Amino acid sequence: MKEILSIIKDEVTAAFVACGYEEKYGYVSISNRPDLCEYQCNGAMAAAKQYKKAPIAIATEVCEKLAEDKMFASVEACPPGFLNIKLAEDFLATYVNEMSEDDRLGMDQVENPKTIMIDYGGPNVAKPLHVGHLRSAIIGESIKRIGKFVGNNVIGDVHLGDWGLQMGLIITELRLRKPELVYFDGTYTGEYPKEPPFTISELEEIYPTASGKSKEDAAYKEEAMNATYELQHGNRGYQALLGHILNVSVTDLKKNYENLNVSFELWKGESDAQPYISDMVEKMKADGYAYISEGALVVDVKEDTDTKEIPPCMILKSDGASLYNTTDLATLVWRMKDYHPNKVIYVVDKRQELYFTQVFRCARKTGIVPPETDLEFVGFGTMNGKDGKPFKTREGGVMRLETLVSEINEKMYEKIIENDTMDEEEARKTAKMVALSAIKYGDLSNQASKDYIFDVERFTSFEGNTGPYILYTIVRMKSILNKYAALGKQVENKKILPAASESEKSLMLELTKFNSAIRGAYEESAPHKICAYIYDLANAFNHFYHETKIMAEEDDKKQASYIMLLELTKKALETCIDLLGFEAPERM
Ligand code: ARG
């Protein structure tokens, strides 16, 4: 369906043109004075200069042209030259009915679906997920869902960190503890055991221990670097160990992501880029892009228009070891080869922005990524605690994601059980759903690039701009719909009738913004636009609900119309929260 704003704009533009003015003056926006009008056009003010007339004279002319227009309840020319517009209730009801007849509530699919790859999550193998990984998972999942909803083929890739020094560290520590393991026997040529030589908890303990040791003990670090090099250059035993580390870790990660309602189409990692590295490097050298600088192999990526220094992109270290860069570039090699994406989106901490500028430029310059493929960096800010510093545990340590999620679950459970409306099992399940909405909405309602404060009290509140408030609104609708269904009324010709009150009209006006809100969120990779939309929509609904006797309405047609309006609002909210990555319970 055409967006309502553009229907109105076309109408107003036609009036400007009919009065002899250029069409560019007919732009319309949502009113910033909702007390005066619903939409406004300020074009007369701009046209005044070109046509050397008083703005109010132009506004009055256009206003007279629009006077008979059935689309509007009123159009007023106000000094110094505004056009204040109110929609006709009939026109609005027609639009809303059309939405309600459409499965997609008026949001068209894109005409030319794209293949979009989205790199998000980015957990590091053998390290527990911490809150730093939360944002990438939440924002990336939402961007992915939005991209799919508008009709694209979107492929999410978790891009595991499974290739750096951390692997060498784990191997080194393991070798120290269990030197008898067959993986460390260089003469062994048989098959390696299927069972991993460690559990997830051991693995999670081994890594920090090894990492700590390497900071104090230069020889230990040296050994870990050697192990990393050997792993990357074909040591069979180490590669078998990597396989085990991956399996154990991925099983655990999947469980964690599942709890967040986050899933990935691809579970590729940095290590999957390995087979592409040597050809890529050779080509960069042969094409004359890569050269040796201070022992390392680099590609220049600075451009004449740069206002700040963009250092060269380092491809190989002086010892020939690959880096984070190398795997990201080689990952683009297989992404292009296997998927030919029109776009690759990276949802990563904004502190990596410069790094991605280098990678993107290098990938373009060396021809890994063709000009027609977009590369987009969606950098997110830090999740802070109430003290404005990065979110920590009470003891000041790094907060594990699992701990955070279970603390919020617990808090929600206590709130829900207080209401005493359901049994323990349902309360647990409901608490999980509501808690997830608190976490995700709390995050997504902020523009991704901004830092934000994770305020548990505020995010878990059932009032205000929160996930639980949105869910509460949906639950309220479900309960009304159940009551109505129980009446068993058969109403013929069910239609949403033109609004009979201010609050009903406001609700309809909010509903009509559905397609433009989703388009905006899609085009700008900005889920916060969907949050803003549903917050306004939920408020408009609750206001309508308080002003209107729905169940006590005696006129069946009117009541059926309210119910349809409510169904549509519920569907809009449910569609949107699904795009944000959470869902509503039956009760709460
Ligand atoms: N593993 C990285 C980290 O924890 C994030 C990976 C981001 N994605 C990428 N393609 N580099 O910082």
Side-chain angles (χ1 to χ4, degrees), residues 254-451:
K254 282 194 174 154
K255 192 187 78 205
N256 270 286
Y257 282 123
E258 206 172 296
N259 280 332
L260 290 176
N261 226 347
V262 168
S263 68
F264 299 91
E265 282 69 16
L266 296 178
W267 277 83
K268 299 275 194 184
E270 292 170 357
S271 67
D272 288 291
Q274 176 66 7
Y276 300 91
I277 292 179
S278 71
D279 283 358
M280 177 184 83
V281 171
E282 284 319 310
K283 188 166 182 308
M284 284 178 178
K285 284 194 208 158
D287 293 346
Y289 294 121
Y291 66 94
I292 304 284
S293 165
E294 293 170 34
L297 189 72
V298 302
V299 171
D300 280 330
V301 292
K302 60 175 189 291
E303 288 170 6
D304 293 343
T305 49
D306 289 342
T307 49
K308 65 170 189 238
E309 163 108 20
I310 309 283
C313 193
M314 206 198 280
I315 309 297
L316 292 178
K317 284 202 275 200
S318 47
D319 64 0
S322 51
L323 305 113
Y324 188 44
N325 286 5
T326 330
T327 51
D328 260 320
L329 287 163
T331 297
L332 277 167
V333 172
W334 69 253
R335 284 184 179 156
M336 291 313 305
K337 179 172 91 52
D338 295 347
Y339 294 92
H340 311 289
N342 304 93
K343 187 173 184 171
V344 187
I345 303 176
Y346 292 80
V347 185
V348 184
D349 191 311
K350 73 177 174 197
R351 285 170 293 191
Q352 293 188 30
E353 178 154 23
L354 172 63
Y355 164 78
F356 276 99
T357 303
Q358 293 173 296
V359 169
F360 290 178
R361 286 186 181 184
C362 183
R364 289 223 185 274
K365 182 171 177 181
T366 59
I368 294 173
V369 174
E372 61 275 17
T373 295
D374 286 336
L375 295 171
E376 181 181 340
F377 177 71
V378 178
F380 53 81
T382 310
M383 172 174 152
N384 289 325
K386 267 187 164 166
D387 56 0
K389 301 209 184 90
F391 201 85
K392 291 269 157 67
T393 58
R394 250 171 255 124
E395 293 71 36
V398 176
M399 173 78 102
R400 287 180 71 133
L401 192 57
E402 268 175 307
T403 316
L404 175 85
V405 173
S406 65
E407 275 182 16
I408 312 268
N409 279 348
E410 203 47 45
K411 204 173 171 65
M412 268 305 159
Y413 174 73
E414 278 158 25
K415 274 196 178 193
I416 285 169
I417 212 79
E418 233 173 64
N419 295 346
D420 205 20
T421 49
M422 54 184 94
D423 61 33
E424 156 96 28
E425 197 192 326
E426 189 185 347
R428 287 271 170 216
K429 207 175 134 226
T430 306
K432 241 182 110 174
M433 291 170 102
V434 184
L436 192 61
S437 81
I439 297 173
K440 288 196 163 184
Y441 191 94
D443 188 307
L444 293 170
S445 53
N446 301 285
Q447 200 177 319
S449 61
K450 298 224 167 93
D451 296 347

Side-chain angles (χ1 to χ4, degrees), residues 463-519:
E463 278 152 45
N465 191 6
T466 70
Y469 168 69
I470 304 290
L471 297 194
Y472 191 78
T473 306
I474 296 175
V475 165
R476 166 174 278 165
M477 296 178 184
K478 288 186 178 184
S479 131
I480 303 170
L481 289 172
N482 286 340
K483 278 189 208 144
Y484 182 74
L487 298 179
K489 285 193 188 168
Q490 302 290 339
V491 183
E492 266 170 58
N493 278 337
K494 277 214 274 177
K495 274 242 167 291
I496 299 173
L497 303 171
S501 68
E502 219 31 69
S503 68
E504 191 177 15
K505 188 174 189 190
S506 301
L507 173 57
M508 289 191 192
L509 285 167
E510 286 307 331
L511 273 167
T512 61
K513 295 175 192 161
F514 179 82
N515 49 11
S516 81
I518 291 183
R519 182 181 50 79

Side-chain angles (χ1 to χ4, degrees), residues 221-239:
K221 178 152 187 202
E222 177 80 32
E223 214 179 305
M225 279 168 45
N226 285 337
T228 312
Y229 183 87
E230 281 187 39
L231 169 72
Q232 298 185 350
H233 291 80
N235 181 316
R236 272 184 77 236
Y238 290 3
Q239 288 184 343

